[in-house]
Amino acid sequence: MNGKAEQDHHEAGQVSTRTRLERGRGALGPALELVHTGRAPTRAVLTAELGVTRATAGAVAAELEALGLIHVEPGAAAGSQGRPSHRLVVADDGPVVLAAQVHADGFRAALVGLGGRIVATAPGCETIDADPAQVIGSVVDAGADLLRETGRRCVGAGLAVPSAVAEPEGNALNPLHLAWPAGSPVREIFAERVRAAGLAVPAFTGNDVNLAALAEHRHGAGLGARHLLCVATGHRGVGGALVLDGRLHTGSSGLALEVGHLTVNPEGRPCYCGGRGCLDVETDPLAFLTVAGRTPGPEVNLLQQSRDLLRREYADDPLVRRAAEELIDRLGLGLAGLVNILNPDRIILGGLHRALLDADPERLRAVVADRSLWGRSGGVPILACTLDHNSLVGAAELGWQPVLDDPLGALTG
């Protein structure tokens, strides 16, 4: 090959490489999300999922590795032509999101990496102050301490709160169990506190059950569901969320799926919303302890007390068993109504509801099937949430979303 031919061949190779990289950069976000959710464990699977050539998939994986987001490792899994395909794993030493959660009995800060991995966590079991700025400042400070201790790069921040969060303002409309003023500007406060901690990253806020559902859909019991319904108790109260085709359904202003205020017992307990017999006060931890004849103690939170009581005494104490059955029947009635309206393909339960499902899964499923049209036609799978601290992981998902949308722009822009 003469000199000019060699140069032409070299330049053609450079153009081919540039073209492949340019084409691949448009696939960086989808590729990262596939690895993030565990749906592309190998380069061969990534190639098939993206619908690109092996060379382009290789360039995409190399770019994500260069950004410090994933590692490409030799693997033993068979590739598309029977050859070993490289494994794609999230980088253990990669960037993190500062995730925070506030609930009725305290707060928790964490650093969460790709794949929903909690890298470090710092619980704060303090009495929650009536001033949201004080509490949010404390949890952000705890997260900032974790960042200093670990030396990790932070790319975003997310906060989960036990309240409907109105859009676009980001105000907590009904933080009933926190004694915060209705309409507290939690997103604005959180963003200010993140900046004050020296973090120049985007900050997001959402309802805790919404975020739990998002985390479970991407990394837990909801993985693979198209229409996922999540219903869960917090330390107090009941919340719900719906994920449609991978996206949270939050309604026109962020207030959808306030399932805690479905009436399941018209003659039941007064609810904070002004109604009576709502799911929120008929199936939460305080309701269970009350029906079981137990006086809540100050030593641990109500959710843990309820779980412990179910685990230790459900089998032997008739009063505890009757209390569980009453709550299961109320919960089943509420779930049946939601099934009739939403027609989900999967239901996941968290908090005390998860423990009730574990205690008597057949009773709950029978109530839902008997009281719902679609339940009678074949049943909707009802599963327990599987992630520890799923609201925290979901808060981190908010912070990771800009990176998932545009890894190159978010990390180098």
Side-chain angles (χ1 to χ4, degrees):
M1 184 181 293
N2 61 36
K4 185 176 187 308
E6 287 180 356
Q7 182 179 356
D8 290 346
H9 178 75
H10 177 68
E11 290 176 353
Q14 287 184 318
V15 171
S16 175
T17 300
R18 282 200 305 271
T19 301
R20 189 162 59 243
L21 282 173
E22 287 167 1
R23 186 182 302 120
R25 280 173 178 160
L28 283 177
L32 182 60
E33 185 163 341
L34 286 167
V35 179
H36 174 60
T37 57
R39 290 178 291 151
T42 68
R43 200 166 65 186
V45 176
L46 183 69
T47 301
E49 289 288 333
L50 292 178
V52 297
T53 65
R54 290 177 58 202
T56 297
V60 168
E63 186 86 10
L64 292 175
E65 186 169 40
L67 290 170
L69 296 170
I70 71 169
H71 292 311
V72 181
E73 302 174 347
S80 59
Q81 297 182 12
R83 291 179 290 180
S85 180
H86 289 78
R87 294 175 60 243
L88 306 178
V89 296
V90 297
D92 287 337
D93 55 352
V96 295
V97 165
L98 190 163
Q101 180 182 10
V102 176
H103 52 73
D105 296 296
F107 64 73
R108 184 178 293 269
L111 306 182
V112 182
L114 281 168
R117 299 171 303 107
I118 295 180
V119 174
T121 181
C125 299
E126 65 176 39
T127 301
I128 294 300
D129 194 270
D131 178 8
Q134 188 276 328
V135 180
I136 293 173
S138 294
V139 72
V140 170
D141 288 344
D145 288 343
L146 290 176
L147 287 169
R148 282 190 289 272
E149 291 166 8
T150 61
R152 303 296 279 264
R153 178 185 179 184
C154 183
V155 295
L159 170 68
V161 294
S163 168
V165 178
E167 299 294 346
E169 300 87 358
N171 297 339
L173 292 189
N174 59 340
L176 299 171
H177 305 297
L178 297 181
W180 288 356
S184 295
V186 291
R187 183 171 301 152
E188 178 183 337
I189 295 170
F190 183 57
E192 288 176 352
R193 295 296 174 147
V194 167
R195 288 194 297 271
L199 301 174
V201 297
F204 306 90
T205 306
N207 168 263
D208 54 0
V209 179
N210 275 355
L211 298 181
L214 183 61
E216 293 284 347
H217 186 268
R218 291 183 175 179
H219 308 292
L223 191 63
R226 286 197 61 203
H227 301 139
L228 177 69
L229 172 64
C230 175
V231 178
T233 65
H235 292 237
R236 292 287 308 277
V238 175
L242 185 66
V243 180
L244 300 176
D245 291 323
R247 300 291 178 183
L248 278 171
H249 174 70
T250 56
S252 61
S253 56
L255 309 180
L257 272 294
E258 281 291 303
V259 304
H261 301 290
L262 286 174
T263 300
V264 294
N265 181 14
E267 305 302 320
R269 301 171 181 83
C271 182
Y272 306 96
C273 71
R276 181 176 289 276
C278 296
L279 207 61
D280 199 75
V281 293
E282 295 288 336
T283 67
D284 83 334
L286 180 60
F288 175 67
L289 293 170
T290 301
V291 177
R294 301 302 199 272
T295 300
E299 62 280 359
V300 295
N301 64 65
L302 298 178
L303 179 56
Q304 191 59 52
Q305 290 180 60
S306 298
R307 286 170 167 164
D308 291 345
L309 183 61
L310 266 174
R311 186 180 66 255
R312 292 196 300 254
E313 302 186 39
Y314 176 80
D316 301 319
D317 189 322
L319 190 57
V320 172
R321 181 182 289 272
R322 283 198 299 271
E325 290 173 349
E326 180 177 316
L327 263 71
I328 286 171
D329 291 347
R330 303 291 189 211
L331 173 61
L333 183 63
L335 292 178
L338 292 168
V339 167
N340 287 338
I341 295 169
L342 301 173
N343 190 209
D345 58 17
R346 194 179 309 173
I347 298 171
I348 58 173
L349 302 179
L352 176 59
H353 293 169
R354 172 181 174 174
L356 292 170
L357 174 67
D358 291 341
D360 196 343
E362 296 310 313
R363 185 184 185 97
L364 180 59
R365 291 177 178 129
V367 173
V368 175
D370 183 61
R371 300 299 295 265
S372 63
L373 295 172
W374 314 125
R376 294 174 187 171
S377 70
V380 181
I382 303 176
L383 307 175
C385 290
T386 58
L387 298 178
D388 293 330
H389 308 303
N390 52 17
S391 292
L392 267 180
V393 175
E397 290 298 313
L398 295 181
W400 274 114
Q401 194 59 54
V403 181
L404 295 174
D405 290 339
D406 180 9
L408 200 59
L411 298 183
T412 65

